[in-house]
Each structure stands twice: as structure tokens, then as C-alpha cells.
């Protein structure tokens, strides 16, 4: 498992982790906070990542986490 953290464009911080699964999938989980207070959890999957360089995975996972939190309907 690999750990990631960041801050979304709408001001929430998150800590999460991801791991590579079979078939080029990435499975991630992130916990969100606002001013230190718990705000929620999201889970996600990314597909077709088998040809992605390991150095690029962190940035792609962070972008997916951001999109899942800020673009949710």
C-alpha cells in the first residue's frame, strides 16, 4: 500500500492509501477533514493503469481523489 495526502480545491485535507490490484486496477481510500474535523470517506477504483509509470501513480490517484470529493453530485 502507498500513502497519499493533500488538500482539495474546496479546502478539505485528505489522507489516503492505494494499492495495485489485478488487471491494471488501482483501489484507493481517502478520509477527508475540514479544520481537523472529520468530513467523510470516499473509496475509488481506477482502471487501465498497467502501463502507468510508478512515479506517475501518486499524481493520478490524487487527481481521482480530488475529483471524487469535489465533483460529487
Amino acid at each position: 500500500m502507498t500513502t497519499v495526502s493533500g488538500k482539495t480545491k474546496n479546502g478539505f485535507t485528505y489522507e489516503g492509501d492505494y494499492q495495485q490490484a489485478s488487471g491494471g486496477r488501482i483501489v484507493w481510500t481517502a478520509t477527508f477533514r475540514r479544520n481537523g474535523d472529520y468530513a467523510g470517506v470516499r473509496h475509488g477504483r481506477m482502471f487501465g493503469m498497467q502501463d502507468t509509470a510508478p512515479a506517475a501513480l501518486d499524481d493520478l490517484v490524487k487527481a481521482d481523489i480530488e475529483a471524487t470529493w469535489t465533483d460529487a453530485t
Side-chain angles (χ1 to χ4, degrees), residues 13-67:
T13 58
Y14 64 85
E15 292 182 15
D17 54 53
Y18 68 90
Q19 64 183 7
Q20 293 180 319
S22 63
R25 290 179 299 131
I26 300 291
V27 179
W28 60 261
T29 302
T31 301
F32 295 85
R33 298 185 180 282
R34 181 95 185 225
N35 299 322
D37 295 328
Y38 174 81
V41 172
R42 295 288 187 274
H43 306 275
R45 287 176 288 196
M46 301 166 64
F47 300 93
M49 305 312 254
Q50 62 269 19
D51 296 326
T52 305
L57 283 177
D58 273 9
D59 291 334
L60 292 171
V61 171
K62 286 180 179 184
D64 200 50
I65 290 171
E66 167 92 17

